[in-house]
Amino acid sequence: MIAKSLKGRSAAMDPGIWSKLPPELLELILSFLPLKTLLNLRSTCKHFKSLVFSPSFISKYSSASLFSSFLLLSHPQCYSNFPLYDTIRGAWRKLALPLSFLPPSAAQFNLLSSCNGLLCFSLPNSSSFLVCNLLAKSSRSIQFPFFPFAFEMLTLVSTPHGYKIFLLCSKFSSNYAFVYDSKVHSWRQFDGFQPLLADNFHQEGASFNGSLYFATPEPFSVVCFDLENGKWENLDTEMPRELTFVRLVSNTDEGKLYMVGGIGRNGISRSMKLWEMGDGGNWVEVERLPELMCRKFMSVCYHNYEHVYCFWHQDMICVCCHTWPEILYCKVSRRTWHWIPKCPSIPDKWSCGFRWFSFVPDLYTLA
């Protein structure tokens, strides 16, 4: 009887205890709640509503419990449901894109880029792009500069006052660069780079020191595009020998530029290495992919390096193949290489079209 009475008491919260908890202890307890539950608390009282949107609360607990960081998979068969890999908890989840974000005419949409909690979609039927923050439930529709509009190498870049969208477009047999600035809500047109930049349309530009950096096809070199003045520049830096392919990745938080490249002859890679750009503008070798892992990756892409693309995600350099559902990544701080296995919900018959993105939710990034 006593045990039953105690059990009944523990099932309900004692207001006398909870009302006397120190604010920092209450915040700590709340930080362990699932994100959906925490957001639902906004309607219970003014204190919880202000707490959820408090920058200090978000900053203090987001990395530990509030928001995780994800690798997001976009595939033609996924449509509005995107598999997510939680890189902190090592678990798979699913992200459903709310249909309320999409205009009525958006029968088709493609995820093209991500940055700082924002996702950028192309809506071909409505001749526009859609930039949205799913966590903040905000979005913005951006019309194409003109129609028809064929573009490539779209890159979403975070700026101190919002974001910019860079892309290349072939118009009237000429190559042009277009930049959209969310601060002024308009496009600017600049000269493109001749010859054409890349043989890989899955690789985005690497944001570094206010510019986007790209690797050219053979003979390999590095060029950059200044997002402010629209000028192109060839980097006077010596490239490693016997390169078979080159991809650039940047860590914008620490201001570092990395290069992933295959080493071999006659277009066949025998090894893969990681370099970092040093203070003098030279490439300094950081790490080499272990032999067995290199054999697997090269067999995966069949030495068709146009399918290979790379991106940065939370101290990880992710190396992906458009025809393979797994991710190879380097943990930069530890200088170790790992594989992320295929998502269990992906059918084996899906043989290509795998496009991965870094997705780190952020309440305060405005679309």
Side-chain angles (χ1 to χ4, degrees):
M1 188 70 176
I2 296 177
K4 185 176 181 180
S5 176
L6 290 176
K7 183 178 180 180
R9 288 184 186 177
S10 61
M13 295 188 300
D14 187 343
I17 297 177
W18 284 89
S19 62
K20 296 179 181 179
L21 282 178
E24 61 272 13
L25 183 56
L26 179 60
E27 291 183 7
L28 179 60
I29 294 173
L30 292 175
S31 71
F32 287 99
L33 290 174
L35 176 58
K36 185 176 181 180
T37 303
L38 186 64
L39 293 178
N40 288 337
L41 284 177
R42 292 177 296 176
S43 60
T44 60
C45 69
K46 293 183 179 180
H47 174 66
F48 284 164
K49 183 176 182 180
S50 61
L51 178 65
V52 169
F53 290 100
S54 166
S56 60
F57 179 71
I58 298 297
S59 175
K60 188 173 183 180
Y61 299 114
S62 61
S63 61
S65 56
L66 254 181
F67 308 131
S68 195
S69 63
F70 304 95
L71 294 172
L72 183 152
L73 173 60
S74 175
H75 189 274
Q77 301 297 325
C78 291
Y79 193 60
S80 61
N81 289 283
F82 301 98
L84 295 176
Y85 182 77
D86 189 327
T87 56
I88 293 178
R89 294 171 175 84
W92 288 97
R93 302 183 183 182
K94 274 193 174 182
L95 172 67
L97 180 65
L99 296 180
S100 59
F101 280 100
L102 303 174
S105 59
Q108 178 186 1
F109 55 90
N110 304 305
L111 180 56
L112 301 177
S113 186
S114 67
C115 179
N116 201 26
L118 297 177
L119 301 177
C120 181
F121 296 87
S122 170
L123 309 178
N125 291 347
S126 58
S127 304
S128 64
F129 299 108
L130 179 72
V131 177
C132 60
N133 184 332
L134 298 183
L135 188 60
K137 297 183 179 180
S138 63
S139 64
R140 177 181 297 276
S141 180
I142 303 169
Q143 292 297 312
F144 290 171
F146 53 86
F147 183 80
F149 187 60
F151 60 89
E152 60 191 27
M153 302 187 74
L154 184 145
T155 305
L156 182 65
V157 183
S158 177
T159 66
H161 304 289
Y163 58 86
K164 293 184 179 181
I165 299 175
F166 167 91
L167 48 80
L168 292 177
C169 172
S170 296
K171 178 183 178 184
F172 309 125
S173 301
S174 299
N175 190 23
Y176 292 95
F178 285 83
V179 177
Y180 176 85
D181 191 339
S182 67
K183 183 180 179 181
V184 295
H185 308 303
S186 63
W187 291 95
R188 289 194 296 169
Q189 178 180 322
F190 304 97
D191 290 334
F193 186 82
Q194 301 293 342
L196 294 179
L197 265 182
D199 55 357
N200 184 328
F201 302 121
H202 311 301
Q203 181 66 44
E204 300 182 15
S207 178
F208 180 65
N209 290 342
S211 299
L212 283 180
Y213 285 68
F214 302 89
T216 67
E218 292 188 77
F220 298 111
S221 64
V222 176
V223 299
C224 66
F225 174 83
D226 191 306
L227 288 167
E228 190 61 34
N229 59 34
K231 294 183 178 179
W232 292 91
E233 180 183 353
N234 283 280
L235 263 66
D236 185 17
T237 179
E238 183 178 355
M239 302 293 283
R241 297 182 179 181
E242 299 186 331
L243 287 170
T244 54
F245 72 91
V246 173
R247 302 290 181 264
L248 300 178
V249 183
S250 61
N251 177 358
T252 55
D253 292 334
E254 298 184 6
K256 294 183 178 181
L257 183 66
Y258 296 93
M259 178 172 68
V260 177
I263 301 295
R265 293 182 179 179
N266 301 320
I268 304 296
S269 297
R270 302 301 179 188
S271 64
M272 192 166 76
K273 294 183 178 181
L274 173 66
W275 295 266
E276 179 184 343
M277 177 165 282
D279 295 335
N282 298 319
W283 293 109
V284 179
E285 184 176 333
V286 175
E287 192 58 51
R288 177 194 293 258
L289 180 64
E291 183 177 355
L292 290 179
M293 301 181 79
C294 183
R295 288 182 183 178
K296 176 180 176 178
F297 184 79
M298 297 308 166
S299 66
V300 161
C301 63
Y302 299 107
H303 299 286
N304 294 321
Y305 306 120
E306 66 270 16
H307 298 308
V308 177
Y309 60 97
C310 304
F311 60 89
W312 178 270
H313 174 79
Q314 304 285 291
D315 192 42
M316 299 161 53
I317 293 180
C318 300
V319 187
C320 309
C321 183
H322 196 247
T323 59
W324 191 251
E326 299 179 27
I327 293 180
L328 173 67
Y329 72 91
C330 176
K331 191 72 173 178
V332 177
S333 59
R334 300 178 182 176
R335 298 192 177 185
T336 56
W337 294 85
H338 310 270
W339 284 98
I340 294 178
K342 185 185 80 168
C343 176
S345 65
I346 295 179
D348 293 334
K349 63 181 180 180
W350 290 5
S351 58
C352 63
F354 300 100
R355 185 71 191 275
W356 291 93
F357 299 89
S358 171
F359 179 51
V360 184
D362 190 329
L363 268 177
Y364 299 98
T365 303
L366 298 178

